[in-house]
Amino acid sequence: MTTRIHSALIIALASAGFSASGMAQMNHDMHGSTMAMPVSTVANAAMGEGLVKKIDKTKGSVTLAHGALPNGMPPMTMAYKVKNVAWLDKMKVGQKIRFATDPADGGMTVVQFEPVK
């Protein structure tokens, strides 16, 4: 009978050891949840307001005059690259827009915009 108990104990301990190592290798970020992954920080970027001063389709840029931006950039007028050059066809000189920039490149690229209504 002692052999059976020892065998059962060895099997139980071995199973627990394999379970623990298997659990350690699992990704616990979502803990079994079926929730969608978080949206990227770019999509959630805080937007500032600016006035379109110039559109340069050959350079793929837009010059904006803006106040202080949420990313800490002070008020200024400067040229920004745009993530999608097709956006330049939707912008007009003199138009007010809300926009977000990409923190990965120091805020030099507009990655999201919408007209101010």
Side-chain angles (χ1 to χ4, degrees):
M1 185 126 162
T2 331
T3 306
R4 284 186 188 167
I5 293 173
H6 284 122
S7 295
L9 183 57
I10 289 171
I11 291 170
L13 290 174
S15 296
F18 289 125
S19 287
S21 67
M23 292 297 288
Q25 294 174 4
M26 287 180 60
N27 180 350
H28 294 287
D29 290 343
M30 299 302 285
H31 293 285
S33 172
T34 57
M35 276 181 34
M37 294 302 289
V39 177
S40 73
T41 56
V42 170
N44 291 330
M47 296 177 80
E49 285 195 15
L51 177 68
V52 177
K53 300 296 262 179
K54 180 181 175 184
I55 297 167
D56 189 334
K57 292 180 183 180
T58 60
K59 291 183 180 179
S61 66
V62 60
T63 301
L64 299 171
H66 60 78
L69 297 179
N71 66 4
M73 189 175 286
M76 66 179 71
T77 298
M78 69 174 277
Y80 291 90
K81 293 284 185 188
V82 291
K83 177 181 172 184
N84 183 341
V85 293
W87 294 348
L88 297 175
D89 293 327
K90 298 177 181 180
M91 296 179 185
K92 294 179 180 79
V93 172
Q95 177 184 36
K96 287 185 180 182
I97 64 168
R98 290 177 24 88
F99 69 101
T101 58
D102 186 354
D105 72 353
M108 303 301 293
T109 303
V110 173
V111 293
Q112 183 179 359
F113 94 96
E114 60 189 35
V116 172
K117 297 174 182 162

